């Protein structure tokens, strides 16, 4: 089938390449010309394992093309995916829908045949309804159907998650063709017996927000338990392992530490909070606010811990920060807990040296005043404390004996609870989490 993907960021570029992999002819629309040029040359402007190969292959085969023209998009296909960003509004909790709205405003007046728009972006409940009303106003003697088909991919596993999702969710308004067309689009996945859930658009929108809110809740839950463990001298990792054996609980997303960041969970729970407030769902609002609060306090807590191990003041101290990406296998620093901590520590008068295997360029753009090292060892040179804040394998496997030789004080703060405490303590480190 011929399809258009509007917006070629993490979500859109991955979706476009994966739809080509499924055998469809894909036109990707990206308005930023620099990004477009990179993608058209088969290069991915961010770090995502497996995506560069896939993209290159399908650009070369001709099954995937990139353009900046909505006119070309309107001519090319009758099925359009919206994959543009929905960031947090500046100074507010709600989602900024301007890119989603602009996609509909630009595309629909250009359409000359009946069309289907499938929304993939994460949006507040009620968006598909509002867009449908707007599309009806803009459409010229044709029917433009809008349905919602949320995406659940994780950065770092984007290709795998898109080609082999846990489930496909589709929210359709009655009387349209969205279900039939989507069944054709995803036929190979449906044949693999991946669950295909058809519901109404508000439910589909809420499936996505609820999934992210639940993942955030799991993390904040275990971090709240970590606080009790600290006070009681118990081991939160062992608790996560033990409760995780219960299939109703599950071990995944119970890693305590610095908490969640990135371009999705933080802004999605805040947008959910804002929408819940608008809808008068006060319990949901209060609950989600606490999930966010617990998470943000993890960051200040690590800063306090760093101050504590530096004899009560960060002024004039040298702090090494290992990790800047919001999680390993990513170069994404949006709402990165590691960089947030680095910034706070610098504000308290310390000199901060940061190293990350992939996220250095993005970090420099966001926090130009931090010092950036070219290796973990260099970052740790003469450090009064080493903070491990993103659990890249090269940090998890670092040799505490070797690191001992370059630091000034042997203080290690394991912000991701991923190090072997005994191994560090046995060579003289003060280990804190
Ligand atoms: C998240 C969801 O996991 C995806 O399902 C969803 O599609 C995506 O958001 C989205 O809405 O687009 P992602 O942002 O790639 O995916 O990151 P996660 O793997 O969920 O990790 C989020 C944060 O939680 C990271 O900062 C990570 O370090 C932290 N985390 C994760 C923990 O602190 N503890 C854990 O046990 C797990």
């Amino acid at each position: 089938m011929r399809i258009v993907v509007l917006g070629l960021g993490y979500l859109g570029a991955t979706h476009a390449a994966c739809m080509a992999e499924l055998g469809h002819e894909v036109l990707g629309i990206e308005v930023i010309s620099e990004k477009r040029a990179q993608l058209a040359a088969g290069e991915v402007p961010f770090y995502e394992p497996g995506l560069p190969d896939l993209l290159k292959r399908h650009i070369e085969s001709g099954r995937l093309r990139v353009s900046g023209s909505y006119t070309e998009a309107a001519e090319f296909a009758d099925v359009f995916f919206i994959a543009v960003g929905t960031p947090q509004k500046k100074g507010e909790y709600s989602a900024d829908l301007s890119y989603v709205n602009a996609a509909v405003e630009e595309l629909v007046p250009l359409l000359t045949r009946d069309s289907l728009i499938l929304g993939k972006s994460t949006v507040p409940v009620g968006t598909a309804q509002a867009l449908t009303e707007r599309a009806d106003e803009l459409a010229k003697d044709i029917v433009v159907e809008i349905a919602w088909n949320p995406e659940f991919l994780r950065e770092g596993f984007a290709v795998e998650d898109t080609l082999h999702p846990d489930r496909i969710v589709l929210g359709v308004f009655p009387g349209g063709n969205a279900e039939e067309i989507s069944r054709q689009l995803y036929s190979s996945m449906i044949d693999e017996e991946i669950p295909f859930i058809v519901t109404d658009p508000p439910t589909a929108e809420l499936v996505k927000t609820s999934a992210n809110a639940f993942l955030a809740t799991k993390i904040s839950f275990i971090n709240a338990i970590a606080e009790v463990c600290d006070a009681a001298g118990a081991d939160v990792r062992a608790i996560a392992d033990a409760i995780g054996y219960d299939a109703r609980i599950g071990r995944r997303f119970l890693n305590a530490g610095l908490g969640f960041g990135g371009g999705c969970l933080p802004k999605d729970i805040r947008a959910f909070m804002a929408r819940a407030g608008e809808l008068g769902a006060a319990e949901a609002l209060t609950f989600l606010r606490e999930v966010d609060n617990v998470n943000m306090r993890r960051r200040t807590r690590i800063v306090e811990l760093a101050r504590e191990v530096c004899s009560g003041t960060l002024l004039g101290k040298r702090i090494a920060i290992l990790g800047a990406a919001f999680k390993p296998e990513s170069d994404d620093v949006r709402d990165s807990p590691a960089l947030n901590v680095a910034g706070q520590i610098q504000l308290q008068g310390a000199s901060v040296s940061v190293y990350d295997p992939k996220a250095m360029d993005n970090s420099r753009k966001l926090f130009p005043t931090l010092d950036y090292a070219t290796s973990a060892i260099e970052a740790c040179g003469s450090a009064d404390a080493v903070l491990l804040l993103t659990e890249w394998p090269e940090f998890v496997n670092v040799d505490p004996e070797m690191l001992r030789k370059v630091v000034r004080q042997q203080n290690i703060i394991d912000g991701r609870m991923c190090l072997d405490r005994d191994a560090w303590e046995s060579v003289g480190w003060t280990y804190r989490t």
Side-chain angles (χ1 to χ4, degrees):
M1 291 171 81
R2 285 182 149 213
I3 63 155
V4 166
V5 178
L6 304 170
L8 297 177
Y10 273 104
L11 168 60
T14 309
H15 189 66
C18 290
M19 292 306 276
E21 176 74 3
L22 292 183
H24 302 301
E25 269 186 79
V26 185
L27 178 66
I29 303 294
E30 173 54 55
V31 292
I32 302 171
S33 60
E34 204 184 18
K35 236 194 224 178
R36 201 162 60 229
Q38 273 182 297
L39 291 163
E43 286 164 27
V44 177
F46 48 85
Y47 177 70
E48 182 58 52
L51 186 56
D53 283 351
L54 196 68
L55 185 94
K56 217 172 167 68
R57 191 143 46 82
H58 292 299
I59 293 271
E60 280 168 6
S61 74
R63 223 188 276 162
L64 169 59
R65 285 193 305 112
V66 176
S67 164
S69 162
Y70 270 69
T71 309
E72 197 182 338
E75 278 160 18
F76 183 79
D78 306 326
V79 180
F80 302 85
F81 283 96
I82 295 185
V84 296
T86 53
Q88 188 177 334
K89 273 188 192 161
K90 298 247 177 313
E92 284 178 50
Y93 276 173
S94 54
D96 177 357
L97 292 180
S98 57
Y99 303 107
V100 171
N101 292 336
V104 168
E105 293 286 334
E106 272 199 62
L107 177 71
V108 176
L110 300 170
L111 297 174
T112 54
R113 304 177 298 265
D114 289 356
S115 301
L116 170 64
I117 297 178
L118 287 164
K120 288 210 90 62
S121 310
T122 302
V123 292
V125 59
T127 302
Q129 175 67 41
L131 291 176
T132 299
E133 286 163 20
R134 185 64 187 138
D136 286 347
E137 289 165 12
L138 294 166
K140 294 182 192 123
D141 305 323
I142 55 162
V143 177
V144 177
E145 182 181 1
I146 295 188
W148 223 259
N149 171 215
E151 178 58 58
F152 303 96
L153 67 80
R154 296 160 298 166
E155 290 180 19
F157 301 88
V159 171
E160 171 69 15
D161 286 352
T162 306
L163 291 174
H164 307 283
D166 295 332
R167 72 297 208 190
I168 301 166
V169 174
L170 179 70
V172 297
F173 291 111
N177 300 319
E179 180 176 348
E180 195 190 318
I181 293 171
S182 301
R183 281 189 186 277
Q184 289 170 34
L185 280 171
Y186 295 125
S187 62
S188 55
M189 296 180 184
I190 296 169
D191 290 348
E192 268 180 50
E193 297 192 351
I194 289 171
F196 184 73
I197 299 151
V198 181
T199 180
D200 53 77
T203 306
E205 290 161 336
L206 273 174
V207 168
K208 168 68 195 204
T209 5
S210 307
N212 275 5
F214 188 72
L215 293 171
T217 302
K218 262 190 117 169
I219 299 168
S220 281
F221 169 81
I222 200 69
N223 280 331
I225 300 299
E227 191 191 354
V228 183
C229 288
D230 264 354
D235 177 354
V236 70
R237 273 186 276 189
I239 292 175
D241 290 344
I243 63 174
Y245 282 115
D246 184 331
R248 293 169 302 171
I249 296 173
R251 177 62 179 82
R252 294 170 77 186
F253 270 69
L254 284 183
N255 294 325
L258 186 50
F260 59 84
C264 303
L265 297 194
K267 64 109 177 153
D268 286 350
I269 57 162
R270 290 179 194 145
F272 199 2
M273 242 187 260
R275 189 70 182 124
E278 283 166 13
L279 294 169
E283 302 283 10
L285 171 60
T286 311
F287 180 81
L288 294 167
R289 186 182 289 138
E290 208 40 54
V291 170
D292 193 19
N293 283 341
V294 169
N295 191 53
M296 295 313 279
R297 282 198 293 268
R298 299 304 286 176
R299 302 180 186 186
T300 40
R301 188 188 149 274
I302 288 278
V303 177
E304 280 156 21
L305 209 53
R307 200 175 43 230
E308 204 179 298
V309 301
C310 288
S311 324
T313 178
L314 286 164
L315 201 65
K317 300 288 164 55
R318 255 188 86 78
I319 306 295
I321 303 273
L322 301 184
F326 83 105
K327 66 173 186 180
E329 297 308 325
S330 170
D331 65 354
D332 196 344
V333 296
R334 286 177 293 171
D335 203 344
S336 159
L339 283 184
N340 184 311
V341 167
Q344 288 190 50
I345 288 181
Q346 190 192 35
L347 279 178
Q348 296 196 22
S351 107
V352 178
S353 186
V354 179
Y355 176 71
D356 186 283
K358 294 284 175 203
M360 300 299 270
D361 290 345
N362 288 340
S363 306
R364 270 195 203 94
K365 282 182 217 149
L366 207 63
F367 281 86
T369 59
L370 298 172
D371 282 338
Y372 292 96
T374 56
S375 68
I377 289 286
E378 187 190 314
C380 294
S382 306
D384 294 295
V386 176
L387 276 57
L388 194 165
L389 303 184
T390 311
E391 69 279 33
W392 284 97
E394 76 164 82
F395 301 152
V396 177
N397 298 323
V398 79
D399 178 4
E401 172 61 25
M402 185 185 64
L403 214 58
R404 186 173 77 83
K405 297 180 181 137
V406 302
V407 296
R408 186 153 58 201
Q409 302 280 332
Q410 279 182 267
N411 291 310
I412 175 82
I413 297 182
D414 182 2
R416 292 294 178 182
M417 299 195 195
C418 57
L419 299 175
D420 177 351
R421 177 181 204 131
D422 293 343
W424 286 74
E425 287 181 342
S426 68
V427 291
W429 288 83
T430 301
Y431 173 96
R432 301 290 300 270
T433 60

